[in-house]
Amino acid sequence: MGNLVGSLRYREPSTVEECDSTWETDSESEELQEQQPGDHLNITEPSNEADSKEGDQENANIQNNDTRESAPKLKRSFYAAKDLYKYRHSYPNSKEHRQPSEYRNLRFYLNTIPLVPDGIYIEEILTKWKGDYEQLEHNHTYIQWLFPLREQGLNFYAQELTQDEIKEFQGTREAKRRFLVAYTVMLDFFGIKLLDKNGTVARAANWQDRFQHLNECHT
């Protein structure tokens, strides 16, 4: 009953301030950001050619300073703030009522169902895709099956995780073994290697090539 009442009381935040974030506010007036450089300046025409040159230089300096001062500030993404809000509040609107037979993420990790829409089983990814950087980079359907979330992602065929499925996953040795292998596959993609079961990582032998490639492709 407590969870039901909590879900009824939950209200989707509509502003960054309602996301109870620790970041500074960015709901300041946007008039200054939308204003064109020099719009607020009252500039008159110079009286002669000499004054004109001097005035042009002065106006240029003022406009340069004005451009720096009124340049749009980097604004936080409201969607990112809202996602963090839902994460901190344990996804109050998430659907938690599924039968174990409906745990598609766990079944995928048990190699009993393939990912959708490509129809690829996890064993194929873990055994054939490691080191195949072209495949890992250009196929965009597998990542949310390999690392499922508690919210809907870009692959609408992927199923959100629930707390009950997470607990079931944690108690399934085969799923945890495959998850660790999946983690090492993706670490290798980024030029990183896993050193021990405590999660210690280090640069892989090919880290320079991978870092350079990722910097060039994703910046």
Side-chain angles (χ1 to χ4, degrees):
M1 178 62 71
N3 291 337
L4 176 60
V5 173
S7 64
L8 292 175
R9 291 176 180 173
Y10 172 73
R11 183 172 67 88
E12 189 83 2
S14 58
T15 65
V16 171
E17 287 74 18
E18 291 178 358
C19 293
D20 61 25
S21 174
T22 56
W23 292 329
E24 294 179 359
T25 180
D26 78 341
S27 62
E28 62 193 53
S29 173
E30 297 184 357
E31 293 180 1
L32 179 62
Q33 296 181 9
E34 295 175 353
Q35 194 175 45
Q36 295 297 320
D39 281 354
H40 66 282
L41 299 177
N42 184 15
I43 302 174
T44 58
E45 292 295 330
S47 59
N48 55 52
E49 184 176 355
D51 290 341
S52 176
K53 292 181 179 179
E54 182 178 350
D56 288 345
Q57 182 61 44
E58 181 179 353
N59 291 339
N61 292 336
I62 292 174
Q63 290 185 1
N64 286 336
N65 291 334
D66 182 68
T67 300
R68 287 192 294 269
E69 291 175 0
S70 63
K73 297 180 181 179
L74 292 176
K75 294 172 67 67
R76 298 193 310 277
S77 166
F78 167 63
Y79 298 104
K82 187 166 67 172
D83 283 347
L84 289 172
Y85 176 88
K86 290 189 290 185
Y87 172 79
R88 289 193 300 272
H89 291 267
S90 299
Y91 297 91
N93 275 354
S94 64
K95 299 177 181 178
E96 294 287 339
H97 304 292
R98 291 197 186 112
Q99 298 298 322
S101 60
E102 299 176 306
Y103 293 163
R104 296 177 65 189
N105 297 295
L106 179 58
R107 293 174 64 201
F108 171 69
Y109 260 91
L110 294 177
N111 208 45
T112 58
I113 63 171
L115 67 84
V116 181
D118 291 348
I120 302 171
Y121 285 84
I122 189 171
E123 272 301 305
E124 180 178 347
I125 297 174
L126 300 184
T127 58
K128 297 181 180 180
W129 288 26
K130 184 173 183 179
D132 188 346
Y133 302 135
E134 289 291 321
Q135 182 77 275
L136 291 169
E137 182 166 1
H138 296 295
N139 186 312
H140 297 158
T141 61
Y142 73 91
I143 194 66
Q144 198 172 327
W145 285 85
L146 216 56
F147 302 105
L149 306 172
R150 293 205 60 211
E151 58 184 327
Q152 182 64 60
L154 295 179
N155 184 346
F156 291 97
Y157 294 102
Q159 187 183 72
E160 306 98 308
L161 276 171
T162 66
Q163 292 283 15
D164 289 339
E165 187 175 10
I166 291 173
K167 293 177 182 178
E168 192 73 20
F169 199 106
Q170 292 172 336
T172 307
R173 180 177 298 181
E174 183 181 358
K176 291 194 297 181
R177 178 188 64 79
R178 286 198 175 99
F179 186 82
L180 181 60
V181 178
Y183 181 50
T184 61
V185 168
M186 295 311 301
L187 285 179
D188 176 72
F189 174 75
F190 292 113
I192 302 171
K193 62 181 179 180
L194 183 66
L195 297 182
D196 54 45
K197 293 183 178 180
N198 294 322
T200 307
V201 296
R203 293 171 177 172
N206 63 342
W207 73 269
Q208 288 182 313
D209 291 338
R210 296 307 303 152
F211 281 27
Q212 181 178 356
H213 172 75
L214 294 170
N215 283 334
E216 291 174 353
C217 294
H218 300 280
T219 57

